[in-house]
Amino acid sequence: MSRPNTAPRPNTAPRPTPAAPPVPAGSFALWGDVARPVTLAVADLRRGGEQHRAEVVFDCATDGPRRHTFAGPLLREVVAAARPRFDPARRKERSRFLLAVSGGDGHHALLSWAEIDADFGDAPVLLATRMDDRDLDGDGPQLVVPSDRCGARYVSAVTGIWIGPARLAGVLPSGT
């Protein structure tokens, strides 16, 4: 008869992402493993960099196809300004980082740094400041992932973007 293994197991569960700091309406917090955490408003995004335009069609599970035109800066440029704590010259180090985006309506999305990095996926993910020629100042920015066929990662009224490394220690066997 075998005895159950009673040896303590190492904690291999990923650590939860901390909650976003409180922000004023129409603003979001950018924090995590960054040198310069910051709170930004839609107006800051409009002033801070080039506004890219994306015409998208995505399938909404409840309403069918949705067509919209968005404008705003690239997510990678906004997040890079906060100076994530990785060595930009080390590709493998950059590829470990994740971005967790939270919306005011409770929706969340997760992206990898590699998806948006010009050396990897180079996806033109936006933090939209305008939707269908309407400013989003009062609502807050919208995460726009033009390559997605469904709208699940389109997060409205973004309230927080956390950036940090994936913590998989103990989950994967060593050498993989």
Side-chain angles (χ1 to χ4, degrees):
M1 181 169 180
S2 64
R3 294 180 15 189
N5 183 356
T6 58
R9 292 184 178 176
N11 182 3
T12 59
R15 293 181 212 162
T17 302
V23 295
S27 299
F28 69 97
L30 175 56
W31 86 108
D33 203 357
V34 296
R36 294 192 323 216
V38 65
T39 298
L40 297 169
V42 171
D44 298 322
L45 296 175
R46 202 174 288 116
R47 282 191 303 267
E50 182 180 350
Q51 300 292 295
H52 298 264
R53 188 174 168 89
E55 293 183 20
V56 301
V57 178
F58 60 86
D59 286 322
C60 178
T62 56
D63 297 330
R66 310 278 304 266
R67 297 180 193 303
H68 294 288
T69 302
F70 294 97
L74 294 173
L75 176 63
R76 70 173 161 250
E77 292 172 359
V78 175
V79 174
R83 296 191 11 229
R85 291 194 173 135
F86 54 66
D87 181 349
R90 299 187 64 191
R91 290 181 179 153
K92 286 190 178 187
E93 187 174 334
R94 292 189 330 245
S95 70
R96 293 183 313 113
F97 272 65
L98 302 173
L99 297 100
V101 182
S102 302
D105 60 0
H107 284 101
H108 304 279
L110 186 65
L111 296 104
S112 70
W113 183 268
E115 278 183 87
I116 63 173
D117 191 298
D119 285 340
F120 295 99
D122 199 20
V125 176
L126 300 180
L127 274 178
T129 61
R130 294 178 60 82
M131 178 176 147
D132 300 329
D133 296 323
R134 182 179 66 84
D135 289 337
L136 297 175
D137 293 75
D139 301 326
Q142 180 161 340
L143 180 70
V144 177
V145 187
S147 60
D148 284 4
R149 288 186 341 187
C150 76
R153 291 197 302 174
Y154 282 63
V155 176
S156 300
V158 171
T159 56
I161 301 173
W162 174 88
I163 181 169
R167 291 180 173 89
L168 297 175
V171 175
L172 300 175
S174 66
T176 58

